[in-house]
Amino acid sequence: DIQMTQFPSSLSASVGHTITITCRASQGIGTYLAWYQQKPGKVPNLLIYAASTLQSGVPSRFSGSGSGTDFTLTISSLQPEDVATYYCQKYNSALGLTFGGGTKVEIK
Amino acid sequence: EVQLVESGGGVVRPGGSLRLSCAGSGFTFGDYGMSWVRQAPGKGLEWVSGINWNGGSTGYADSVKGRFRISRDNGKNSVYLQMNSLRAEDTALYYCARTFLAAAGLVGWFDPWGQGTLVTVPS
């Protein structure tokens, strides 16, 4: 099975700063990757699919990039409402729709 | 507005069974695959099972294969998860999610998600 490793597991940054979360696949998965945001006590929300396609309604400060094994989620100009745990998810195979372990983002 | 509402969770003893339901509205239910994703208390997300638009294709995580069964009734805009031989490690919030195809026959991403229904299997 392809494993998905997210890092860092947590980070703290100031409002207005840019942060980057990395998701690494143990084998190449093309661009078959999605990102989700889960705010505390809330339901996961789709941010990005196909590695870089922004879901409708998601603020443009969120962006995704990468292909193969290395992917990044970037939040430019971090806002207080971005406090959440972010998950990547690979979907290159019917044999396992695997999520990364999550990255918890807090405001400094 | 697209909406998914889960029901059927509860407390069940180890070895017991439970059937979860998820009712969809606000979209053409029969046009989409559906999935169940769970989240143990304080933990991350784990895909559990998925079913294609007409129920002709299903998939399961290794952790539940042989114990859980997914099904759907497009006439009732509903998807179900029959859970048998439940274990303490199945304790989680179970989310239902509309599922998009990344390519022909390739399950992709999930959007939206329901509010979840809690399953507790005491150890």
Side-chain angles (χ1 to χ4, degrees):
Chain A
D1 284 358
I2 297 174
Q3 304 302 314
M4 304 301 294
T5 304
Q6 259 184 262
F7 51 90
S9 57
S10 65
L11 66 87
S12 180
S14 299
V15 171
H17 284 212
T18 294
I19 66 166
T20 298
I21 298 169
T22 298
C23 185
R24 179 163 293 160
S26 57
Q27 298 176 41
I29 59 171
T31 57
Y32 290 140
L33 189 97
W35 289 97
Y36 301 86
Q37 175 194 61
Q38 186 176 31
K39 296 183 179 182
K42 300 297 185 181
V43 173
N45 181 52
L46 176 70
L47 297 175
I48 286 167
Y49 59 92
S52 61
T53 302
L54 197 66
Q55 172 68 349
S56 175
V58 174
S60 59
R61 64 180 180 276
F62 292 90
S63 64
S65 65
S67 67
T69 59
D70 292 327
F71 302 85
T72 59
L73 172 70
T74 299
I75 308 175
S76 57
S77 188
L78 187 69
Q79 299 299 304
E81 59 266 32
D82 300 333
V83 168
T85 299
Y86 295 84
Y87 295 94
C88 62
Q89 176 228 335
K90 69 96 173 171
Y91 51 85
N92 71 315
S93 167
L95 302 177
L97 297 160
T98 310
F99 291 89
T103 296
K104 187 175 183 180
V105 173
E106 297 176 320
I107 300 292
K108 191 180 292 183
Chain B
E1 179 194 4
V2 175
Q3 196 169 14
L4 298 169
V5 179
E6 302 93 335
S7 60
V11 180
V12 58
R13 69 181 187 280
S17 299
L18 212 53
R19 189 195 194 210
L20 307 183
S21 300
C22 169
S25 60
F27 65 105
T28 304
F29 189 82
D31 283 353
Y32 291 89
M34 298 295 295
S35 296
W36 289 94
V37 179
R38 70 184 180 184
Q39 187 169 34
K43 302 297 183 182
L45 302 170
E46 179 188 19
W47 173 78
V48 173
S49 182
I51 189 167
N52 75 333
W53 67 277
N54 66 356
S57 179
T58 59
Y60 300 91
D62 286 346
S63 58
V64 307
K65 203 171 291 184
R67 299 187 298 124
F68 291 10
R69 180 175 170 272
I70 192 171
S71 62
R72 65 187 297 159
D73 184 338
N74 288 344
K76 295 182 178 179
N77 289 348
S78 294
V79 63
Y80 309 98
L81 187 68
Q82 177 67 43
M83 304 187 297
N84 299 325
S85 303
L86 282 161
R87 307 166 179 168
E89 54 264 37
D90 295 319
T91 293
L93 187 61
Y94 284 73
Y95 296 105
C96 162
R98 186 175 64 170
T99 305
F100 287 80
L101 289 182
L106 181 63
V107 175
W109 53 94
F110 310 118
D111 180 66
W113 302 48
Q115 293 297 313
T117 187
L118 183 62
V119 173
T120 303
V121 187
S123 55

